[in-house]
């Protein structure tokens, strides 16, 4: 062991953690760390003789320090000891559990109160089908030696976010893991435009007592994996003029990929998991060239989630009933619809699931009928549906998937303005009659809408299935021109409409066929398979 070199490494490490070097004597280092009323000292011995350290320990204890003597074994052991002490692994795991519980409750609300369960889909890893469960497969790759970039791709609503949360839960449950993840959900935060700032903000929120330099250092050590949900949303916002040909060129508004590349420098052990809709970003020579140029020491793994399997979601009895009813399985591949059908008691399932359009109607009717009672909202199911569809149109035209509560209320006020007096007069007593602002406030708390994050006051649709049904209908009815809206919204509509009847799917396909020529071949094929 080169003792001088090791001493310098340890000095740099303790400096990174905020310690002050007080003394250096031959094979001994003394550091102090003060926090409020607490004064701590640590003596590192690089030689087996601890007599000097024992004397120093008594000296510092006499002036009020809590002293720890460490006999140096290896740099890695010292680093892990500091990491476990400062990053509070057990506390962060507890917070992750609570975060997952909140997510589970939210998903249960979307299922009309039924208990949410994560159903693992089939998947391909680097184009090879895998038999191990998806979450375990990601963890297996995450724990492999060296730097790892894991790209999880799927169509809108096919389980990327659910898988991210299931992964977080698995990490929190496994007490043997010596790392703490940072989870960033970007897919519904339209104000997130430069990933470097988003990352620093997440670090400040989750590790407020630690420096960002220290946290980034531990990210590069692999002890703080990044789980980034919604990559495709952010990359387009980072560089609005981005095309497949210029995606990887450097510009002033540092793109997400460039920031990630900065975390994969040298012999790092960085672990990054990002989710994205299937797109051209991760295919072809351009991406491969970027990997070879920027991620020379990183293992890149692409995981593609398959469409949900009806039998896995619904079980033998319900699947057999669908087969007897000759319902085409291709019409119910959406996870939201499958989760709703899974939650229904068998008798109710058999009553409602005679055809797929009836299932969708029942799904919306259940949520909207409940809303009338829950909020004393004197609007018919059809009126609520119309208002929410109008809101979806605003979202598409404004190119947003969520926004601040105040802005959503303003949009809803505009939507109901002409009919507000009619709605108000349905309430009998003066005390019950809501003002236009109060009525808009009720609608902003509607069952089809929800906060997109527990930490932000932004409102969006409860899921892409609901949003996509509205977008698809607006396109079919001619209220939205497919050639005038972003590809993102076309994709959301097509994914939702894959669960509709053949007649409705073909109507949407006819409307968007001239438009999908601007998509790459893989995306065109995917859309035609969904709708044809």
């Amino acid at each position: 062991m080169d003792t001088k070199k090791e001493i310098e490494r340890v000095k740099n490490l303790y400096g990174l953690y905020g310690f002050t070097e007080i003394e250096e004597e031959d094979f001994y280092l003394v550091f102090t760390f003060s926090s409020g009323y607490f004064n701590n000292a640590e003596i590192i011995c690089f030689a087996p003789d601890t007599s000097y350290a024992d004397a120093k320990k008594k000296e510092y204890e006499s002036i009020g320090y809590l002293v720890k003597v460490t006999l140096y074994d290896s740099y890695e052991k010292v680093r892990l000891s500091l990491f476990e002490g400062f990053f509070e692994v057990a506390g962060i795991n507890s917070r992750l559990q609570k975060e997952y519980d909140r997510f589970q409750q939210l998903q249960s609300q979307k299922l009309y109160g039924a208990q949410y369960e994560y159903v693992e889909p089939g998947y391909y890893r680097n184009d090879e089908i895998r038999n191990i469960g998806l979450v375990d497969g990601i963890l297996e790759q995450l724990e492999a030696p060296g730097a790892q970039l894991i790209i999880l791709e799927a169509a809108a609503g096919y389980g990327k976010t659910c898988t991210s949360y299931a992964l977080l839960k698995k990490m929190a449950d496994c007490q043997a893991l010596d790392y703490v993840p940072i989870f960033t959900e970007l897919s519904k935060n339209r104000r997130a435009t430069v990933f470097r700032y988003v990352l620093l903000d997440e670090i400040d929120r989750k590790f407020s007592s630690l420096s960002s330099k220290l946290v980034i250092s531990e990210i590069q050590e692999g002890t703080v994996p990044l789980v980034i949900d919604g990559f495709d949303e952010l990359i387009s916002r980072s560089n609005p003029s981005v095309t497949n040909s210029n995606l990887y060129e450097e510009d002033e508004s540092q793109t997400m990929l460039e920031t990630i590349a900065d975390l994969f420098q040298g012999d790092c052990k960085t672990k990054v998991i990002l989710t994205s809709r299937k797109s051209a970003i991760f295919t072809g020579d351009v991406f491969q060239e970027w990997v070879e140029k920027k991620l020379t020491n990183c293992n890149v793994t692409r995981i593609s989630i398959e469409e949900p399997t009806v039998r896995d979601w619904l079980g033998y009895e319900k699947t057999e009933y669908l087969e007897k009813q000759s319902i085409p399985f291709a019409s119910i591949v959406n996870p939201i619809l499958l989760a709703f059908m899974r939650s229904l008691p068998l008798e109710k399932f058999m009553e409602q699931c005679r055809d797929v359009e009836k299932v969708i109607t029942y799904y919306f009717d259940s949520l909207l009928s409940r809303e009338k009672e829950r909020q004393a909202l004197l609007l018919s199911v059809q009126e609520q549906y119309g208002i929410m569809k109008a809101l979806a149109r605003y979202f598409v035209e404004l190119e947003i998937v969520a926004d601040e509560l105040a802005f959503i209320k303003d949009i809803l006020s505009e939507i109901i303005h002409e009919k507000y007096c009619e709605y108000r007069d349905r309430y009998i007593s003066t005390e019950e009659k809501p003002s236009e602002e109060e009525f808009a406030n009720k609608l902003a708390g509607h069952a089809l809408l929800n906060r997109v994050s527990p930490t932000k006051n932004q409102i969006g649709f409860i899921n892409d299935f609901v949003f996509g049904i509205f977008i698809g209908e607006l396109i079919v009815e001619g209220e939205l021109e497919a050639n005038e809206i972003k590809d993102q919204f076309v994709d959301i509509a097509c994914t939702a409409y894959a669960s509709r009847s053949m007649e409705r799917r073909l109507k949407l396909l006819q409307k968007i066929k001239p438009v999908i020529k601007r998509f790459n071949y893989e995306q065109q094929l995917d859309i035609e398979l969904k709708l044809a």
Side-chain angles (χ1 to χ4, degrees):
M1 178 176 71
D2 186 338
T3 305
K4 286 186 178 180
K5 184 178 179 182
E6 291 298 292
I7 287 174
E8 285 305 311
R9 291 182 76 195
V10 169
K11 286 163 71 172
N12 290 334
L13 177 65
Y14 273 77
L16 196 58
Y17 271 88
F19 284 80
T20 302
E21 182 189 346
I22 300 298
E23 298 184 44
E24 180 178 354
E25 181 73 26
D26 294 332
F27 297 105
Y28 303 93
L29 291 172
V30 181
F31 298 98
T32 60
F33 185 91
S34 297
S35 177
Y37 291 105
F38 303 100
N39 295 309
N40 303 278
E42 186 157 357
I43 303 168
I44 314 292
C45 306
F46 292 85
D49 180 6
T50 62
S51 55
Y52 175 88
D54 294 337
K56 281 292 173 184
K57 182 174 186 291
K58 290 178 182 178
E59 179 185 328
Y60 278 89
E61 284 177 339
S62 69
I63 56 176
Y65 278 88
L66 179 65
V67 184
K68 176 185 176 185
V69 176
T70 299
L71 188 61
Y72 186 80
D73 184 6
S74 70
Y75 176 83
E76 190 61 23
K77 282 189 177 179
V78 170
R79 192 190 64 76
L80 281 175
S81 176
L82 287 171
F83 174 78
E84 289 171 2
F86 277 80
F87 279 78
E88 301 178 300
V89 175
I92 288 175
N93 282 341
S94 177
R95 288 200 294 274
L96 287 175
Q97 287 279 10
K98 290 176 182 175
E99 220 171 303
Y100 179 82
D101 290 343
R102 282 195 296 269
F103 175 76
Q104 187 178 45
Q105 289 169 10
L106 174 60
Q107 298 309 305
S108 295
Q109 290 171 16
K110 296 176 184 179
L111 297 174
Y112 196 46
Q115 183 65 31
Y116 163 78
E117 294 177 70
Y118 174 66
V119 178
E120 286 202 298
Y123 68 100
Y124 288 85
R125 188 169 84 181
N126 293 335
D127 296 325
E128 291 184 2
I129 196 162
R130 297 277 291 173
N131 294 321
I132 187 173
L134 176 57
V135 173
D136 285 338
I138 295 173
L139 271 177
E140 175 188 78
Q141 192 65 43
L142 192 67
E143 293 169 28
Q148 304 288 334
L149 173 61
I150 301 168
I151 301 163
L152 180 65
E153 293 180 289
Y158 275 23
K160 298 184 296 294
T161 299
C162 290
T163 299
S164 297
Y165 273 97
L167 180 64
L168 289 177
K169 182 176 178 1
K170 190 88 171 183
M171 289 178 176
D173 286 344
C174 188
Q175 301 299 322
L177 298 179
D178 289 324
Y179 54 67
V180 289
I182 291 179
F183 175 54
T184 308
E185 193 172 4
L186 302 170
S187 57
K188 292 183 177 177
N189 181 1
R190 79 184 185 99
R191 284 177 170 75
T193 54
V194 182
F195 181 63
R196 180 180 294 280
Y197 303 137
V198 176
L199 177 59
L200 292 174
D201 181 59
E202 287 294 324
I203 288 172
D204 288 341
R205 278 199 318 109
K206 290 178 178 164
F207 304 105
S208 56
S209 62
L210 305 177
S211 72
S212 58
K213 184 179 179 182
L214 169 60
V215 178
I216 289 172
S217 171
E218 289 297 341
I219 288 172
Q220 293 178 313
E221 287 288 350
T223 47
V224 181
L226 299 180
V227 182
I228 305 161
D229 188 46
F231 175 92
D232 51 311
E233 299 288 340
L234 187 58
I235 193 71
S236 62
R237 288 196 294 272
S238 298
N239 189 350
S241 62
V242 77
T243 66
N244 285 340
S245 60
N246 68 13
L247 178 59
Y248 307 104
E249 293 177 3
E250 296 183 2
D251 62 22
E252 293 178 1
S253 64
Q254 177 145 9
T255 68
M256 186 175 181
L257 278 176
E258 290 164 349
T259 302
I260 289 174
D262 287 343
L263 299 172
F264 284 96
Q265 298 299 309
D267 296 325
C268 70
K269 304 169 191 172
T270 306
K271 318 287 186 184
V272 176
I273 302 158
L274 57 87
T275 77
S276 172
R277 289 189 179 93
K278 289 185 177 181
S279 68
I281 293 173
F282 303 118
T283 58
D285 294 338
V286 176
F287 177 71
Q288 192 58 39
E289 287 170 11
W290 179 83
V291 169
E292 291 170 2
K293 179 181 177 183
K294 301 280 189 175
L295 306 183
T296 52
N297 296 316
C298 175
N299 182 56
V300 179
T301 303
R302 289 183 61 192
I303 295 175
S304 179
I305 295 179
E306 290 187 287
E307 289 186 353
T309 303
V310 174
R311 192 173 297 277
D312 289 344
W313 279 79
L314 301 183
Y316 174 76
E317 204 167 7
K318 288 182 177 179
T319 305
E320 186 180 41
Y321 175 78
L322 294 177
E323 288 174 342
K324 288 179 180 177
Q325 298 298 313
S326 300
I327 293 178
F329 281 21
S331 297
I332 51 173
V333 293
N334 190 284
I336 300 298
L337 203 55
L338 286 170
F340 180 67
M341 294 166 74
R342 177 189 176 96
S343 72
L344 293 174
L346 183 60
E347 185 178 335
K348 180 64 72 174
F349 175 89
M350 294 174 72
E351 176 188 336
Q352 298 299 330
C353 297
R354 296 192 182 97
D355 66 72
V356 70
E357 287 300 322
K358 191 168 183 179
V359 176
I360 293 172
T361 299
Y362 182 67
Y363 174 67
F364 278 97
D365 283 354
S366 298
L367 293 171
L368 299 176
S369 297
R370 177 183 174 221
E371 202 64 6
K372 292 164 67 176
E373 183 178 343
R374 186 177 74 90
Q375 290 208 80
L377 191 62
L378 300 186
L379 294 175
S380 68
V381 166
Q382 292 75 21
E383 286 169 330
Q384 292 178 61
Y385 192 91
I387 290 168
M388 291 298 124
K389 189 159 77 169
L391 180 63
R393 178 177 178 176
Y394 270 89
F395 273 31
V396 174
E397 290 174 343
L398 294 170
E399 297 185 352
I400 62 175
V401 293
D403 213 300
E404 297 297 326
L405 175 61
F407 185 59
I408 300 301
K409 285 164 62 175
D410 287 344
I411 295 175
L412 289 166
S413 290
E414 190 170 330
I415 291 170
I416 65 169
H417 180 69
E418 287 187 9
K419 289 197 169 185
Y420 161 67
C421 292
E422 178 190 333
Y423 299 152
R424 181 198 59 197
D425 291 344
R426 295 175 187 176
Y427 293 83
I428 298 171
S429 68
T430 305
E431 292 78 14
E432 290 178 332
K433 294 181 185 293
S435 66
E436 188 168 343
E437 183 180 353
E438 289 170 338
F439 207 89
N441 196 50
K442 282 177 180 280
L443 291 169
H446 197 277
L448 295 188
L449 303 175
N450 207 50
R451 273 201 178 97
V452 299
S453 164
T455 61
K456 297 183 184 296
N457 199 29
Q458 290 193 322
I459 303 296
F461 284 95
I462 57 169
N463 53 56
D464 279 341
F465 177 69
V466 167
F467 192 22
I469 290 291
F470 287 144
I471 297 170
E473 288 186 4
L474 288 164
I475 293 172
V476 169
E477 293 164 5
E479 293 187 49
L480 285 174
E481 292 294 332
N483 63 337
E484 295 177 1
I485 67 178
K486 288 179 68 175
D487 293 354
Q488 169 194 359
F489 299 116
V490 174
D491 181 47
I492 291 172
C494 292
T495 302
Y497 256 61
S499 295
R500 304 213 72 165
S501 65
M502 176 63 78
E503 180 186 355
R504 290 178 183 266
R505 296 203 307 270
L506 291 177
K507 282 182 179 179
L508 180 60
L509 181 60
Q510 185 179 5
K511 287 280 187 176
I512 67 167
K513 248 191 173 178
V515 173
I516 61 174
K517 291 177 182 176
R518 70 188 185 214
F519 288 55
N520 65 58
Y521 176 75
E522 183 182 341
Q523 291 169 309
Q524 288 183 46
L525 181 61
D526 185 48
I527 287 172
E528 291 192 5
L529 287 173
K530 286 174 183 174
L531 300 182

